[in-house]
Amino acid sequence: MTTQTNAPVVATGTTSSTTGRGRGPRTWIVSLLANGVTSVIGLMFLVPLLWVVFAAFDSQAGLRLELPSGSTFGLDNFRAVMTPETTYRPMWNGLVLCVGSAAIAIVVATLAAYPLSRFETRYKRPFLLTILFSTGLPITAIMVPVYGLFVQLNLIDTLGGTIAFMATTALPFSIFLTKNFMDGVPITLEEAAWTDGASSMQTLRHIVLPLMWPGLSVVLIFTFIGMWGNFFVPFVLLLSPDRLPASVSIFTFFGQYGSVQWGQLAAYSVLYTLPVVLLYVLLSRRLGGAFNFGGALKG
Amino acid sequence: MATVTRPGAPAGPGVRRRTHPVKVDIARALPLTPAIVLLLVFLAGPILWCVYAAFTNTALTGAGSGNTRFVGLDNFRAAFTSDAFANSVVLTLVFTLLSAVVGQNLLGLALALLQKRSVKVVRTLVGITVIGAWVIPEVVAGYLWYAFLAQDGTFNEFLGTFGLGQNWLYTLPIIAVSLANVWRGTAFSMLVYNAALSEIPAEIEEAAEMDGATGWRRLRWVTVPMIKRTVTTNLMLITLQTLSVFGLIYTMTKGGPGTKSQTLPLYMYEQAFSFSQIGYGTAIALVLLAVGAVFSILYMRLLRED
């Protein structure tokens, strides 16, 4: 990246000496300024984040950012929260919710993306536009009717119902992404198989899917991350403490006790955040360092 | 490209797409069924129910729980004449404008531009930090900022040296949650603008530089016009995301103190679940949906304008 941005400067410098001469000190100041301002902004983003890391290892942690010193430094906070009620069960619930809904979302989205990517029909455009339209709908707004629906269907406080709803909320974007990835697989391979008498579902399974695993895993990780952090949906649809995922139980952790054990809350936050950070690292590797938003935003 | 004219089919000189017999269409659309069923039951259904319930007095307790009846526009009339509703509309606008349109958008653009001119170490480290704030779950971000802005938190310790310390969550709650939302959401805009800036051909910026356009003028007349589409699309997306923020505000202030940070989603939650006024709650939800829909339509218009 560095060489790319520097190359034109060098080129203009050699071709036209007039512009090249006055630039030396100017570029130097500009780059110093840019680096300085960027670092300051970065530091402002870092400071609130540091508190959770320091407090997690500090048995006497308060709200203030402090480097844990000698006697208070340790794993006490982690030891205190690593119990079935506080950590293991909510994490397990979160895992069940996320794996369940991400799996449903990806299977349903792949099936839906296939005809949308491969065939030209009259319903395709209106359907795709509807899908695109629903990616923008604020899910927060429909939680009241969904609660009503769940009461009617006797689905309230069930993991199954919550999984189905969470999968649906992820569907519009998953279909959109999956279709884009599928469009990248050339259709010629399938056409050969079709002439040999293979059905479209057979070609999907044996030809298209093996070629788009990288894309599919991106969709999978993306939906998983979205659901792991989702607070409002399980907060409304699940009631029993033993069914709550980590995103909600961290909240009750805060509310239940008069004096909050900040160190323990921080330690729990670290444990809860770790999976998404690891998945994100994995995801950004897959996409070559950055999300390809440029392409996604063009539709 | 022969067009098969069928009764009922919108055929004409404008239709150039090849159409299939209806049977083929249905057979090919079959894999779409699970998606359509899920979307109808859990997304379209609740939205339609929203439209219905907003005109009834549905409630979990009290008058509306036994016999639900149509009350016409009563819920909306109640909302539009209520101070609490007006308060949350204003707060939602302040929150969205401040944290999304100004904060996330401008800071994201600034970061993307600055990173382009920074050395690799700075660029990478700052990028990781900003993305880190985006990746961590909403509720954890809420706690971080609660701790950061609390009376005896880090921010006041720093400001205390200038004698400016105060309990921000009580004195300026909407500013406090907006700051937290800027912190949490800027990474998205930064990534979007990073992608857009990297697509600007180097020759164009180079040519502008040769013509003597420097600094602000190059940004104003060359860079910004070239990423105009991305700017509008990004604004749409982050506006929609910010409109429905709930967890972050709920963990930081619960909408308080009083109703000083009660945006529309929190007001809706309070009415529907704390006060059991489902009918009134859905009316508010409908307003929120309508606002989201308006933005979605604008967004789709933008995508089509190519």
Side-chain angles (χ1 to χ4, degrees), chain A residues 23 35 38 45 52 63-65 108 111 115 120 123 132 136 140-141 145 232 235 250-251 254 273 297-298, chain B residues 20 25 28 31 35 49 114 118-119 136 143-144 152 154 157 183 199 209 237 240 244 246 250 268-269 285 303:
Chain A
R23 284 171 44 147
N35 281 307
T38 317
F45 272 84
V52 82
L63 286 169
R64 200 165 291 158
L65 178 65
V108 173
L111 284 173
E120 201 59 54
Y123 314 108
L132 206 59
T140 310
F232 200 35
F235 181 60
I250 188 174
F251 181 74
F254 181 57
T273 307
L297 284 184
K298 276 184 189 138
Chain B
H20 299 284
D25 269 5
R28 286 183 170 177
W49 194 80
L114 284 167
S118 301
V119 290
I136 64 166
Y143 284 124
L144 287 186
D152 45 359
T154 315
E157 188 181 27
W183 182 81
E199 276 174 22
E209 211 165 346
L237 289 177
L240 285 166
S244 55
F246 178 88
Y250 197 72
M268 179 200 77
Y269 178 81
L303 282 176

Side-chain angles (χ1 to χ4, degrees), chain A residues 106 181 212-223 283 286:
Chain A
I106 198 125
F181 281 121
M212 60 176 295
W213 275 123
L216 277 185
S217 63
V218 167
V219 183
L220 190 73
I221 294 171
F222 202 88
T223 26
L283 178 68
R286 274 266 156 93

Side-chain angles (χ1 to χ4, degrees), chain B residues 19-44:
Chain B
T19 49
H20 299 284
V22 178
K23 260 187 196 166
V24 177
D25 269 5
I26 290 174
R28 286 183 170 177
L30 214 59
L32 278 168
T33 328
I36 292 173
V37 169
L38 279 178
L39 289 170
L40 281 181
V41 173
F42 290 116
L43 217 57

Side-chain angles (χ1 to χ4, degrees), chain B residues 102-146:
Chain B
V102 178
Q104 293 181 11
N105 183 49
L106 289 187
L107 193 59
L109 180 60
L111 271 172
L113 288 166
L114 284 167
Q115 279 184 311
K116 232 183 145 180
R117 293 200 166 258
S118 301
V119 290
K120 199 176 177 187
V121 190
V122 172
R123 186 170 53 217
T124 315
L125 285 179
V126 172
I128 289 174
T129 314
V130 176
I131 291 171
W134 181 52
V135 167
I136 64 166
E138 197 177 12
V139 185
V140 174
Y143 284 124
L144 287 186
W145 275 83
Y146 179 88

Side-chain angles (χ1 to χ4, degrees), chain B residues 122-185:
Chain B
V122 172
R123 186 170 53 217
T124 315
L125 285 179
V126 172
I128 289 174
T129 314
V130 176
I131 291 171
W134 181 52
V135 167
I136 64 166
E138 197 177 12
V139 185
V140 174
Y143 284 124
L144 287 186
W145 275 83
Y146 179 88
F148 188 62
L149 294 178
Q151 184 91 63
D152 45 359
T154 315
F155 192 53
N156 276 340
E157 188 181 27
F158 172 70
L159 286 180
T161 48
F162 306 101
L164 290 168
Q166 54 180 304
N167 195 341
W168 301 94
L169 294 160
Y170 278 91
T171 48
L172 292 167
I174 195 71
I175 308 286
V177 293
S178 300
L179 269 178
N181 197 43
V182 171
W183 182 81
R184 190 174 135 73

